Amino acid sequence: VQRMHLIQMDSVQRWMEDLKFMTDCE
Amino acid sequence: RAAAGRALGNLGNSHYLLGHFTQAILFHKQRLAIAKEFGDTAAQRRAYSNLGNAHIFLGRFDLSAEFYKKTLQLSRQLKDPLVEAQSCYSLGNTYSLLQEYEKAIEYHLKHLTIAQELGDRVGEGRACWSLENAYISLGNHERALHFAEKHLEISQEIGDPN
């Protein structure tokens, strides 16, 4: 289960890394 | 007042980029209020998207999902498929964080369809990667394998060895 969770998280982690620098500018 | 709205949005974004997420939310909420006052749906859409992003880093995934749904609704109203695709991708990832994998799959599939329509191979690859992981979490290895194969094919095509 823990391994599944880790696999699950890699695509989400990548998204969150990109999200840190993502803003919808005025 | 319209300029004040833009300034508030910029302040929200600056705080966000500095990692001041609570401050960012305060500014984006004020920006949203002014956008509503003017009936400016494009600015409302941006504010909802920024609010969704900021709540992710405060661990309020439930609130992020609500803001992203508003973003999705307005992107459809504004007929902006790029933003619609991005909203679906955000919702898919947010529902993964909430461990609601069926809903995550629903939105990642919507993202996949739009990416295919737009000929966006990078987006399509990311959708396949996300779907592969969501299906693994549900124990549906057959579907996971299907999307892993598509992900591999697209990664090779776009030259992404990672």
Side-chain angles (χ1 to χ4, degrees), chain B residues 19-73:
Chain B
H20 305 158
F21 303 114
T22 306
Q23 284 286 87
I25 288 166
L26 288 174
F27 284 111
H28 285 308
K29 280 189 173 167
Q30 292 178 73
R31 201 288 165 261
L32 178 63
I34 293 183
K36 281 183 177 173
E37 198 180 298
F38 279 84
D40 183 345
T41 44
Q44 285 176 56
R45 205 283 305 150
R46 289 194 298 272
Y48 282 126
S49 174
N50 287 322
L51 283 164
N53 295 347
H55 281 89
I56 289 287
F57 296 104
L58 293 179
R60 291 304 308 269
F61 310 135
D62 53 335
L63 291 177
S64 289
E66 294 314 307
F67 288 123
Y68 287 141
K69 277 184 210 165
K70 291 271 192 188
T71 309
L72 178 60
Q73 188 191 325

Side-chain angles (χ1 to χ4, degrees), chain B residues 91-109:
Chain B
L91 277 161
N93 283 304
T94 305
Y95 278 115
S96 283
L97 286 166
L98 287 165
Q99 298 186 314
E100 292 185 41
Y101 300 115
E102 278 96 351
K103 278 189 186 166
I105 286 168
E106 183 189 320
Y107 286 108
H108 282 308
L109 283 172

Side-chain angles (χ1 to χ4, degrees), chain B residues 39 47 53 57 73-74 98 107 115 122 134 145 151 157 160:
Chain B
N53 295 347
F57 296 104
Q73 188 191 325
L74 288 174
L98 287 165
Y107 286 108
V122 174
L145 179 62
H151 182 206
E157 185 195 304
D160 182 352

Side-chain angles (χ1 to χ4, degrees), chain A residues 10-11 14 19 24 26, chain B residues 16 31 45 50 126 133:
Chain A
D10 67 358
S11 58
R14 171 62 197 271
L19 200 65
D24 281 67
E26 293 294 332
Chain B
Y16 178 86
R31 201 288 165 261
R45 205 283 305 150
N50 287 322
R126 286 193 178 182
N133 286 338

